[in-house]
Amino acid sequence: MPRRLPPLTALRAFEAAARHASFARAADELAVTPAAVSHQVKTLEEHLGIALFRRRARGLVLTDAGRGYLPALTDGLDRLARATEQLRAGEVAGRLVISVLPSFALRWLGPRIGDLVRRYPDLDPEIHSETRSVDFRLDSVDVAIRYGLGHYPGLFAERFLTETVAPVCAPGLINAARPLRRLADLAGQTLLHDSAVLTNEPSLAWPTWLAEAGVDPGLAERGPRFSDSSLLLEAAADGLGIALGRSALTASDLAAGRLVRPFAQVRPAEFAYHLVCPRSDADTPKVAAFRQWLAEQAARG
C-alpha cells in the first residue's frame, strides 16, 4: 500500500513551530522567514483537513490534534536525520560532542584525546566539561561520560572503567613530624574531603577508613572540603593534607611523583564510569568508534 504523506517541508515547519511555540524561532532554526513557516503550516493543515494550532496574540497554542501529532512526528524526523547521518558517515567522521565531568575531563580524558584525533583524523571531538545531567533531546550532545552505578533509564549505558580508592598525599608528608606508616597514623593528620561524595560511596568517605584503622571516625568532621575532585587532589599535592584518591584521577600524579600512597590499603570504588547516549545512536560509526577507543584506553590503565 503506498504511503500517503504530507510534504516533508511542511512537516518540518510544523514540528519546529510546535517545539518553539513560535513561527519566528522556527524560522531561525530552519533558516527561512516566519512567513514561509506560517505558509508551510497552513499547507499541512489544509492537507490534513485539521487545525494544528490556535493562533494567539502572544504566540501559538497546539490544538489537541497538533499535540497528539507532534511526538510521533518528532521521533520520525529524528530517525530520518540519524539514518541520513549514518548513510553519509560510513566512516568515522564529523563532530562528536562529549559531555564529561570536569575532573575526568582534566585528569583522564583530556590527556588522551590526542590519541583519538590521531586515530580518526576526520573526527572532531568537542568536549563539554560539565556536571549537569544531559537531556539528549534538547542538548546538542552525542555522548556523555558519567560516574555512577549505571542506572540511566531509557538510555544506552556501557561501563568502561572501574576504580580503586586509596589515601594519597604529597611525598613530603610521609616522613614529616608525624610520619605516615599505617592507617592508625591518620589520627592527628589534616584530612581533605570531597564534599560531593554521596552516602552510597563509603569508599570515598573518611569515616570508613578511620573506623577500619581503629581511629575515632569523628575526626572526619574536621578538615578542608572541596566540591571538585581536581581541586581536592591539587590541595593534596600541595601538601595541605591527605585525600582519598580515585585511581583514574590520581594515576598521572602518582606516576609523576606529585602524589604518593602512604599505605598499602586500597578499596574498590562503588561507582564506575559509563558512556551514556540514546540507544538509537550507540552503534553509529562515530559513537561506536569512541566506545571502542574508551575501552582500549581503560584497558591500558
Side-chain angles (χ1 to χ4, degrees), residues 14-141:
F14 163 69
E15 194 272 341
R19 276 191 290 106
H20 292 293
S22 165
F23 286 151
R25 288 196 291 273
D28 289 339
E29 177 181 318
L30 299 174
V32 296
T33 66
V37 174
S38 177
H39 174 73
Q40 289 297 334
V41 171
K42 185 67 174 177
T43 297
L44 179 60
E45 289 176 321
E46 291 174 351
H47 180 92
L48 298 173
I50 298 172
L52 300 172
F53 285 117
R54 294 188 182 90
R55 280 75 169 170
R56 306 293 193 197
R58 295 184 178 180
L60 301 173
V61 178
L62 284 165
T63 63
D64 289 342
R67 193 176 300 108
Y69 193 33
L70 179 62
L73 178 56
T74 298
D75 181 67
L77 290 174
D78 285 344
R79 289 174 179 271
L80 179 59
R82 285 193 294 267
T84 302
E85 181 179 351
Q86 291 180 41
L87 182 64
R88 288 175 174 171
E91 58 187 72
V92 180
R95 187 175 65 148
L96 179 70
V97 181
I98 308 162
S99 172
V100 59
L101 296 168
S103 57
F104 194 72
L106 179 65
R107 292 179 167 266
W108 195 93
L109 183 62
R112 292 169 168 80
I113 206 70
D115 180 81
L116 179 68
V117 173
R118 286 189 292 272
R119 185 179 305 189
Y120 301 109
D122 294 324
L123 184 68
D124 298 321
E126 179 177 322
I127 298 176
H128 290 190
S129 175
E130 54 195 358
T131 57
R132 68 184 183 88
S133 297
V134 171
D135 186 335
F136 287 100
R137 293 188 61 84
L138 300 177
D139 300 324
S140 298
V141 171

